[in-house]
Amino acid sequence: MAMNSQIGESRSIENSITAVILDLDGTLLNTEQATKSVLVEVLAKYGKVVDHDKEEKKLGMIHKDAAAAIVKDYDLPLSPQSYSQLIYPMYHEKWKKSKPLPGANRLLKHLRKHEVPFALASNSSRENVDMKISHHAGWRESFSVILGSNQVKMGKPAPDLFLESASRMGVDATHCLVIEDSVVGVQAAKAAGMKVVAIPSLPKAANQYSSADCLLHSLLDFQPEIWGLPPFEDCVDDSAFPIESIYLKGLFSNGLLYQSEDSKPSALPDQVSGLFFGWVKTNNGEIFKAVTNFRWNHGCCGSKRKIHVCIVDEIDAKVCDQQVQLMMVGYIRGFSVQEDLTAQVEVPEERKSAARVYLDLPMFSTRRDDPLFLQASWEDLYV
């Protein structure tokens, strides 16, 4: 299944969707990037380093199983219980800084506005789920049901969490749509007899999600109407809409943005992929309209994000080889490229022209005066 694929509109949905069930970590919240430094710090104490292949296989596991696997994989002189006691205070501090993933707030507000029941079903314990969402205003009150893995007999990949969520919402399982980021979550949803949209936390692992009904880059690509749910109402046209601002900084050279080494891990989630538009500010304070194409190259040596920046304003001088700041305020859905290409991808002229028009609309133009963008130091962008 190719990334960024939606079920075609001509394909009928056997059972209409009347409720949505969402995963938390890696689907709504960027907790996994925020906390990945914890394992690095703990292993360093014992003279060990992270094996990324092993960690990818733990994605979506309940904590008890993941802790046991870590102790075994790295031959740590700790029991799984001792390991948990060591890391949880560190996790608690990181969770406070976890940010919603692109499109998360937009989707929650939309479902709430249209009174579509939606549940939160996480492999984290209920106590940890409550702690994570407590830092995000209105989240706790929004969900019809909130469940952690310790509230059912078995966590994912067993279907218990999803079946219990449907039961508590009073909805038949076949009328539920699940949105997940992990393979075990997709397995659990299918075992529950539900439709499932997969948004992989690890872009290079997209080929492992073949059982999902739909595979997307991010929540920004989700189209509720395909599932019989009310469509989003914030679209400028069929493809573009406003997003919560994404701030970046780095060296702009030959059309590419090279992120500064001091950029924090949580600043740009792995789920950011596709075509965005906003402004670029040069080191002398000039501001230009820009389109940014984020994509992944997957090779034998790992995955690497490419950030192509195209200034769409008419300018006299060439902007190159200087530090710049970016603020992306809109997204253009439906623009996709082959992810294994290493050559720079040229943004179509019609997209550039559209971005120029979008950025003159009041819903976007007023955001150009964002103090964080205009006046911030580099460090302020990542507070």
Side-chain angles (χ1 to χ4, degrees):
M1 185 182 299
M3 280 291 281
N4 204 34
S5 62
Q6 295 257 11
I7 292 180
E9 292 189 37
S10 60
R11 173 177 167 180
S12 62
I13 299 173
E14 297 176 2
N15 297 292
S16 60
I17 299 300
T18 58
V20 178
I21 304 176
L22 298 141
D23 175 55
L24 179 61
D25 302 296
T27 300
L28 294 178
L29 273 184
N30 195 19
T31 49
E32 291 164 345
Q33 271 199 330
T35 59
K36 66 181 180 181
S37 62
V38 170
L39 181 60
V40 174
E41 294 174 24
V42 171
L43 293 181
K45 294 180 180 180
Y46 298 96
K48 302 177 186 292
V49 296
V50 173
D51 183 321
H52 294 290
D53 289 335
K54 289 181 178 178
E55 294 317 303
E56 288 175 8
K57 294 176 182 177
K58 298 183 182 74
L59 185 66
M61 278 187 179
I62 62 173
H63 175 77
K64 180 180 177 182
D65 293 342
I70 287 171
V71 168
K72 180 180 178 181
D73 287 346
Y74 297 100
D75 192 26
L76 297 179
L78 300 168
S79 67
Q81 294 78 12
S82 298
Y83 173 78
S84 296
Q85 291 172 357
L86 175 64
I87 66 168
Y88 262 123
M90 302 167 72
Y91 274 163
H92 293 167
E93 286 303 308
K94 300 287 186 180
W95 288 339
K96 295 177 183 178
K97 301 177 182 179
S98 296
K99 296 181 179 180
L101 285 163
N105 279 322
R106 178 181 185 237
L107 177 58
L108 297 185
K109 291 176 182 177
H110 178 74
L111 295 176
R112 183 171 64 245
K113 176 181 178 180
H114 291 279
E115 299 182 343
V116 177
F118 58 102
L120 183 61
S122 171
N123 250 3
S124 292
S125 69
R126 176 58 191 271
E127 178 184 13
N128 289 335
V129 170
D130 286 339
M131 187 176 298
K132 293 170 188 176
I133 66 176
S134 68
H135 304 294
H136 302 278
W139 278 34
R140 188 193 304 273
E141 298 78 24
S142 295
F143 294 98
S144 305
V145 173
I146 299 175
L147 283 177
S149 59
N150 60 326
Q151 294 177 279
V152 294
K153 185 176 181 180
M154 296 181 67
K156 307 166 192 177
D160 303 30
L161 273 166
F162 295 134
L163 292 174
E164 182 64 19
S165 295
S167 175
R168 294 194 185 192
M169 286 190 290
V171 178
D172 187 274
T174 59
H175 294 282
C176 291
L177 175 68
V178 172
I179 302 180
E180 265 283 355
D181 75 301
S182 69
V183 173
V184 296
V186 171
Q187 292 171 343
K190 299 309 292 184
M194 300 176 178
K195 296 293 184 183
V196 57
V197 171
I199 305 175
S201 288
L202 302 171
K204 73 174 184 178
N207 60 346
Q208 299 176 23
Y209 293 76
S210 58
S211 63
D213 296 283
C214 178
L215 195 62
L216 303 177
H217 286 298
S218 79
L219 284 173
L220 295 175
D221 290 310
F222 180 64
Q223 295 175 264
E225 63 272 22
I226 289 177
W227 304 95
L229 297 170
F232 287 113
E233 299 160 329
D234 58 354
C235 295
V236 179
D237 53 29
D238 291 338
S239 60
F241 52 87
I243 62 169
E244 294 178 85
S245 297
I246 295 176
Y247 304 95
L248 292 176
K249 62 177 180 177
L251 175 66
F252 181 51
S253 180
N254 295 319
L256 290 172
L257 182 75
Y258 298 92
Q259 284 187 277
S260 305
E261 292 183 1
D262 62 340
S263 292
K264 297 186 179 172
S266 60
L268 191 63
D270 289 348
Q271 290 88 338
V272 171
S273 183
L275 201 65
F276 295 75
F277 57 92
W279 290 274
V280 56
K281 183 174 72 172
T282 65
N283 55 14
N284 63 3
E286 292 182 293
I287 298 176
F288 303 106
K289 296 176 181 177
V291 172
T292 304
N293 180 16
F294 299 89
R295 63 192 185 91
W296 287 91
N297 291 329
H298 305 307
C300 59
C301 299
S303 298
K304 186 174 183 180
R305 194 202 310 266
K306 288 265 191 174
I307 305 176
H308 301 272
V309 180
C310 178
I311 295 176
V312 298
D313 272 332
E314 296 291 337
I315 57 176
D316 296 328
K318 184 178 180 181
V319 178
C320 193
D321 297 326
Q322 62 175 281
Q323 294 289 328
V324 299
Q325 294 180 3
L326 271 72
M327 179 177 66
M328 297 296 103
V329 297
Y331 180 67
I332 301 178
R333 188 175 55 214
F335 179 83
S336 61
V337 295
Q338 292 183 357
E339 297 188 359
D340 58 348
L341 294 180
T342 56
Q344 179 170 337
V345 174
E346 180 65 27
V347 177
E349 283 300 325
E350 61 268 25
R351 299 291 189 178
K352 297 178 186 177
S353 298
R356 292 189 196 102
V357 174
Y358 295 149
L359 289 168
D360 283 334
L361 298 175
M363 66 192 306
F364 297 112
S365 62
T366 54
R367 296 173 64 182
R368 183 183 182 276
D369 298 325
D370 179 353
L372 188 57
F373 177 59
L374 295 179
Q375 304 169 13
S377 66
W378 294 119
E379 291 74 20
D380 290 338
L381 289 173
Y382 299 95
V383 172

